[in-house]
């Protein structure tokens, strides 16, 4: 099964110049916890509800601080024609629960999560989740670029 068959296509995109308050409000209104960050047509980062809390609020940032100040800049992604089991395994290896999905022109076309994989292939989602639940990893909150 291909990622394009299970991904979420309705993607909310943040701008690096958006305020963290505006992005938090958008996340609350849409019941999402992750947004890719784009500059023009390029994917340049990711921001999560946890980034806002840990890197923004906990560090005493002004609510008008910009997304660029707290986003993760090391963008991991997958392609829309990748196999779900390969992507779920990779998500466990790199310890992330969600990935932006791009086409081969590197245009953002969706988001895929371990929850999406679990609905279609529960055994592979378990493989990915085992890796995600290991402590540390390149996407821990103390490492903005990794």
């Amino acid at each position: 099964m291909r990622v394009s068959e299970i991904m979420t296509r309705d993607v909310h995109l943040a701008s690096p110049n958006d305020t963290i308050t505006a992005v938090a409000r958008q996340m609350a209104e849409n019941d999402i916890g992750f947004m890719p960050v784009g500059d023009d047509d390029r994917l340049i980062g990711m921001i999560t509800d946890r980034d806002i809390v840990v890197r923004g609020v906990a560090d005493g940032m002004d609510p008008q601080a910009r997304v660029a100040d707290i986003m993760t800049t090391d963008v991991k992604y997958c392609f829309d024609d990748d196999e779900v089991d390969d992507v779920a395994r990779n998500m466990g290896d790199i310890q992330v629960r969600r990935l932006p999905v791009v086409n081969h022109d590197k245009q953002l076309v969706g988001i895929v999560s371990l929850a999406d994989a679990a609905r279609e292939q529960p055994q592979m989602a378990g493989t990915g989740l085992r890796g995600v639940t290991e402590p540390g990893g390149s996407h821990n909150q103390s490492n903005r670029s990794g």
Side-chain angles (χ1 to χ4, degrees):
M1 177 174 289
R2 305 272 183 207
V3 168
S4 61
E5 298 174 58
I6 67 165
M7 69 184 187
T8 299
R9 294 177 188 277
D10 183 23
V11 178
H12 297 269
L13 189 66
S15 162
N17 295 316
D18 288 342
T19 65
I20 59 176
T21 299
V23 169
R25 189 172 294 123
Q26 197 174 17
M27 286 179 173
E29 288 171 1
N30 294 292
D31 192 28
I32 56 177
F34 166 92
M35 291 176 69
V37 180
D39 191 14
D40 292 324
D41 225 6
R42 215 178 52 165
L43 188 60
I44 62 165
M46 301 174 288
I47 187 165
T48 66
D49 48 5
R50 183 169 166 81
D51 292 332
I52 293 169
V53 171
V54 173
R55 295 183 185 150
V57 175
D59 282 350
M61 289 190 126
D62 184 286
Q64 297 306 307
R66 302 287 171 207
V67 166
D69 297 330
I70 65 170
M71 70 184 190
T72 298
T73 57
D74 181 24
V75 181
K76 306 292 186 192
Y77 59 89
C78 65
F79 290 102
D80 56 352
D81 62 353
D82 285 343
E83 291 292 329
V84 171
D85 56 345
D86 294 336
V87 170
R89 194 173 300 110
N90 185 47
M91 290 169 82
D93 291 345
I94 62 175
Q95 295 186 314
V96 297
R97 288 181 165 88
R98 293 163 248 158
L99 282 176
V101 181
V102 298
N103 61 23
H104 285 280
D105 293 325
K106 297 268 180 106
Q107 296 172 318
L108 183 68
V109 295
I111 299 289
V112 68
S113 70
L114 285 177
D116 296 331
R119 280 190 287 280
E120 298 300 324
Q121 297 180 340
Q123 70 286 0
M124 288 316 301
T127 299
L129 192 55
R130 263 192 305 280
V132 168
T133 58
E134 291 293 320
S138 62
H139 283 269
N140 66 48
Q141 293 299 313
S142 62
N143 186 358
R144 287 189 55 210
S145 65

